[in-house]
Amino acid sequence: MSAHWSVVVPFLRLAENSSRLGADAHALTRSIALDTVAAIADSTAVAHIVVVTDENDNTSELETISTKVAVTIARSLAPADAWAAVAATHGHVALVRAVLPALDGHELTALLVEAATVPLGVVTNAEDNGTTVLVAQSAAALSVDATDEFFANRVPTGAAVLDPGTTVRRTVTSARQLVQVRDWPTLGTRTRAAARAFRLEPPTTASDRRYRIDPPPAQD
């Protein structure tokens, strides 16, 4: 099939959004974001990827992932930044959260093929308490309100809820979620390597469902 989707990937403020992955998990959060972009680039339905980031340091590595990738530097990462990137694209467009390190490019392709006939669609995460992907037949089909709702982890008004493969719904924003995917064959190489540098602590009691990621002990 011909690639005709433009995908916008807003990066989290990495230093501010790694708390659920541990106080020192900035590198892990960044790896998750980069692996998400790499998986999107593997999709044969994707022609262009625009990464919106507020960190210049991401540019060089992002551009080595694929020739499909372009980087937009924004001072903030408000929904308006992603909206501006979407508005500059042509044809079918999608917003993808940079928290899908186990994303399978083939599953993403299947989703985008299905979504090509949907005016506005959304994918919810595995817990059904957030969103992972927002798709539209054109940039004009999106609205500021729809993107605001998406970034607020709500299903935008009028959007069809799509039922994709498992990896499109599997976000990793906490240590518990990282434990769930660490043995998945689709987990990106950067996330897998970064996770090995941290110690995953299991629950201490049966009622404690939290996992903690600790950095490796200092070497003498």
Side-chain angles (χ1 to χ4, degrees), residues 2-9 37 40-51 66-71 85-86 88-96 108 112:
S2 61
H4 59 278
W5 281 85
S6 296
V7 179
V8 179
V9 188
V37 174
I40 295 169
D42 282 341
S43 170
T44 56
V46 175
H48 308 288
I49 304 168
V50 179
V51 176
S66 171
T67 57
K68 298 178 181 180
V69 178
V71 180
V86 168
T89 64
H90 304 280
H92 293 73
V93 295
L95 291 175
V96 178
L108 179 62
L112 295 178

Side-chain angles (χ1 to χ4, degrees), residues 83 86-93 119-120 136-144 146:
W83 169 254
V86 168
T89 64
H90 304 280
H92 293 73
V93 295
L120 187 66
Q137 287 188 8
S138 68
L142 288 178
S143 67
V144 175

Side-chain angles (χ1 to χ4, degrees), residues 24-210:
D24 297 310
H26 179 277
L28 181 55
T29 308
R30 185 173 184 271
S31 295
I32 289 170
L34 291 169
D35 280 338
T36 301
V37 174
I40 295 169
D42 282 341
S43 170
T44 56
V46 175
H48 308 288
I49 304 168
V50 179
V51 176
V52 185
T53 177
D54 58 356
E55 293 191 5
N56 291 323
D57 291 347
N58 292 321
T59 302
S60 59
E61 186 163 3
L62 280 165
E63 290 178 343
T64 64
I65 289 176
S66 171
T67 57
K68 298 178 181 180
V69 178
V71 180
T72 297
I73 304 296
R75 292 183 179 179
S76 68
L77 285 180
D81 295 320
W83 169 254
V86 168
T89 64
H90 304 280
H92 293 73
V93 295
L95 291 175
V96 178
R97 294 187 186 278
V99 290
L100 302 171
L103 178 63
D104 184 334
H106 298 294
E107 283 192 0
L108 179 62
T109 296
L111 167 67
L112 295 178
V113 169
E114 176 189 357
T117 60
V118 177
L120 187 66
V122 68
V123 176
T124 58
N125 63 12
E127 292 81 10
D128 285 323
N129 60 7
T131 56
T132 64
V133 180
L134 180 65
V135 295
Q137 287 188 8
S138 68
L142 288 178
S143 67
V144 175
D145 289 342
T147 55
D148 282 348
E149 288 183 276
F150 174 74
F151 286 109
N153 273 318
R154 297 191 298 267
V155 174
T157 302
V161 178
L162 305 174
D163 185 19
T166 304
T167 68
V168 186
R169 303 185 67 200
R170 181 66 281 168
T171 56
V172 175
T173 60
S174 69
R176 175 182 59 81
Q177 291 172 335
L178 179 61
V179 169
Q180 292 172 343
V181 304
R182 62 180 174 181
D183 295 324
W184 286 21
T186 57
L187 184 63
T189 56
R190 298 169 185 81
T191 304
R192 194 180 300 277
R196 284 198 296 266
F198 290 83
R199 183 173 64 250
L200 294 173
E201 295 291 342
T204 55
T205 67
S207 61
D208 183 3
R209 297 182 180 180
R210 295 171 299 172

